[in-house]
Amino acid sequence: MLGLILPRGCAGCDKPDEILCSDCQSLFRRHTVLPLNGTPSGASDGMPGAVTAPNALNGIPSAAIQQPACAMIYAAGTYQGHVRRAILSWKDHGDTECDKAFSQVCRQLVAGSGIIETLQTKPQTLLQPMPQTEHQTGSQTQILVVPAPSSPKSMRTRGRRHLWPLAKATAAELAAAGVEACAVNALRTRHVQGKAVETYSALGRAARLDGQLEVNDPGLIAGKKVLILDDIVTTGTTMRRCAEAIRGARGSVAGGLALAAVPPPAER
């Protein structure tokens, strides 16, 4: 009856009576992996160079991926076409029915990206905890899933923290795999103007967030391992600024997760 009164289509392709159809869901299973810290040689305009992850288009197995010994960003899809349309419909046009669909995307990304194996097998490189401080609480083995913060203006416009349901789903998937995890809104912005996707150059995106991200409660982060969650990775600047703030609060950044990554200019 609701479909008759308020008909809707797929957020990505507008297929009738779908929230996110199976064809569009499959576009979020084409994972890519990007370096979180810095830009490898050969990348342009600050865009991290992507390497193939499991389920990617050319099907290279995960064992063949040569990853640097640093934290990585795992993106579920490529930010173009139906993927772009679906994310914008959910993020900026109030399509909250997509919360469940994108929460499932995050669960599939956790299960299929290899991040669980990274958390379990590389504590000495990526996840070395900081020395315990007098303000630290909780288990040092716990993974905190921290969503990238939106500006106050964006939150007022949307009327919600759009990444929060996804952060909770990500933590739940980690917990189901035996990793102690919880979602925490640990970051906030100060005096950030405009949307990240409206800032096109790497320098502009860096300047937009320079010194504007901070940890709400450093005692909550200190000594903990953190996964950063964002919706779109363009140049990687937001993730890196989040990582800097977390490390400044004596946290350890295990990696990042995103719904989609913008392709390099040559592939757009």
Side-chain angles (χ1 to χ4, degrees), residues 75-90:
T78 302
Y79 188 65
Q80 58 187 11
H82 292 164
V83 167
R84 179 180 182 275
R85 180 178 175 182
I87 291 175
L88 289 180
S89 177
W90 162 73

Side-chain angles (χ1 to χ4, degrees), residues 13-67:
C13 67
D14 210 29
K15 183 178 180 179
D17 303 322
E18 298 277 2
I19 296 174
L20 192 67
C21 73
S22 58
D23 289 340
C24 289
Q25 289 177 32
S26 69
L27 298 178
F28 287 93
R29 292 194 289 270
R30 299 175 178 179
H31 303 167
T32 56
V33 184
L34 316 167
L36 194 156
N37 302 318
T39 304
S41 60
S44 62
D45 193 30
M47 178 62 193
V51 295
T52 306
N55 303 321
L57 284 172
N58 60 6
I60 297 176
S62 57
I65 302 172
Q66 298 298 315
Q67 297 179 4

Side-chain angles (χ1 to χ4, degrees), residues 33-196:
V33 184
L34 316 167
L36 194 156
N37 302 318
T39 304
S41 60
S44 62
D45 193 30
M47 178 62 193
V51 295
T52 306
N55 303 321
L57 284 172
N58 60 6
I60 297 176
S62 57
I65 302 172
Q66 298 298 315
Q67 297 179 4
C70 70
M72 307 297 288
I73 301 170
Y74 300 84
T78 302
Y79 188 65
Q80 58 187 11
H82 292 164
V83 167
R84 179 180 182 275
R85 180 178 175 182
I87 291 175
L88 289 180
S89 177
W90 162 73
K91 178 181 178 180
D92 291 334
H93 300 292
D95 192 354
T96 56
E97 287 185 288
C98 286
D99 282 356
K100 184 175 181 179
F102 285 139
S103 293
Q104 183 61 25
V105 167
C106 288
R107 284 179 171 271
Q108 291 170 345
L109 180 60
V110 168
S113 65
I115 187 65
I116 293 175
E117 290 78 4
T118 297
L119 295 173
Q120 293 174 336
T121 62
K122 296 186 179 180
Q124 74 282 6
T125 55
L126 297 185
L127 304 178
Q128 185 66 40
M130 296 292 185
Q132 188 167 356
T133 71
E134 61 180 346
H135 302 293
Q136 182 181 328
T137 59
S139 169
Q140 284 186 295
T141 62
Q142 187 180 58
I143 303 298
L144 302 182
V145 180
V146 175
S150 299
S151 68
K153 180 180 178 181
S154 294
M155 283 195 292
R156 286 195 300 270
T157 300
R158 297 183 186 121
R160 62 196 175 106
R161 295 179 183 268
H162 69 293
L163 286 171
W164 183 237
L166 280 58
K168 291 192 291 184
T170 299
E173 185 65 26
L174 288 169
V179 178
E180 185 182 354
C182 71
V184 179
N185 277 311
L187 293 170
R188 63 186 176 193
T189 61
R190 299 180 301 171
H191 313 300
V192 175
Q193 300 298 323
K195 296 179 182 178

Side-chain angles (χ1 to χ4, degrees), residues 87 90-91 148 158 162-163 229-233 257-261:
I87 291 175
W90 162 73
K91 178 181 178 180
R158 297 183 186 121
H162 69 293
L163 286 171
L229 176 69
D230 205 356
D231 43 28
I232 308 161
V233 178
L257 302 174
L259 291 178

